[in-house]
Amino acid sequence: QAQLVESGGGKVQAGDSLRLSCAASGGTFSSNTMGWFRQAPGKEREFVARIRRSGTTIYADSVKGRFTISRDNAKNTVYLQMNSLKPEDTAVYYCAAATGITLGIGISDYNYWGQGTQVTVSS
């Protein structure tokens, strides 16, 4: 079974850092494109960042310069390093995998999703 499991979320203060991890199994990490999305209660899920197997990345403007997405293909894991966190970063963060050929910045681009991990940033 294709499976993505996020971890590393928690409660931090503004300005702090956090690193999220997404462990893939069931062949999911063979996907060329892996992404991170986030969703606050009552709001739509939004794109955060994506990375291809080659290492090519795209970031949402809201996190550019603060967040870094990376992947370790040998460990079947993708990461999201979040620095200079702001209260507006508070959300459930989801890892996703795309099996098709896609730019990877839209929700519909992805075939598999993790359960999510909560990130809460206080002021």
Side-chain angles (χ1 to χ4, degrees), residues 57-76:
T57 59
I58 294 178
Y59 295 92
D61 288 340
S62 59
V63 306
K64 198 171 300 180
R66 299 188 298 121
F67 291 10
T68 302
I69 187 171
S70 62
R71 63 191 291 170
D72 187 332
N73 294 325
K75 295 182 178 180
N76 296 325

Side-chain angles (χ1 to χ4, degrees), residues 1-7 21-31 33-35 76-78 94-98 110-116:
Q1 304 282 351
Q3 182 175 283
L4 299 174
V5 181
E6 304 96 334
S7 63
S21 297
C22 173
S25 63
T28 303
F29 211 66
S30 65
S31 298
T33 304
M34 302 289 295
N76 296 325
T77 303
V78 61
Y94 297 90
C95 177
Y110 294 86
N111 308 96
Y112 302 99
W113 294 84
Q115 296 280 62

Side-chain angles (χ1 to χ4, degrees), residues 33-35 37 47 49-50 52 58 98 102-106 109-110:
T33 304
M34 302 289 295
F37 288 74
F47 170 76
R50 75 89 163 122
R52 290 191 171 136
I58 294 178
T102 177
L103 184 59
I105 61 173
D109 291 340
Y110 294 86

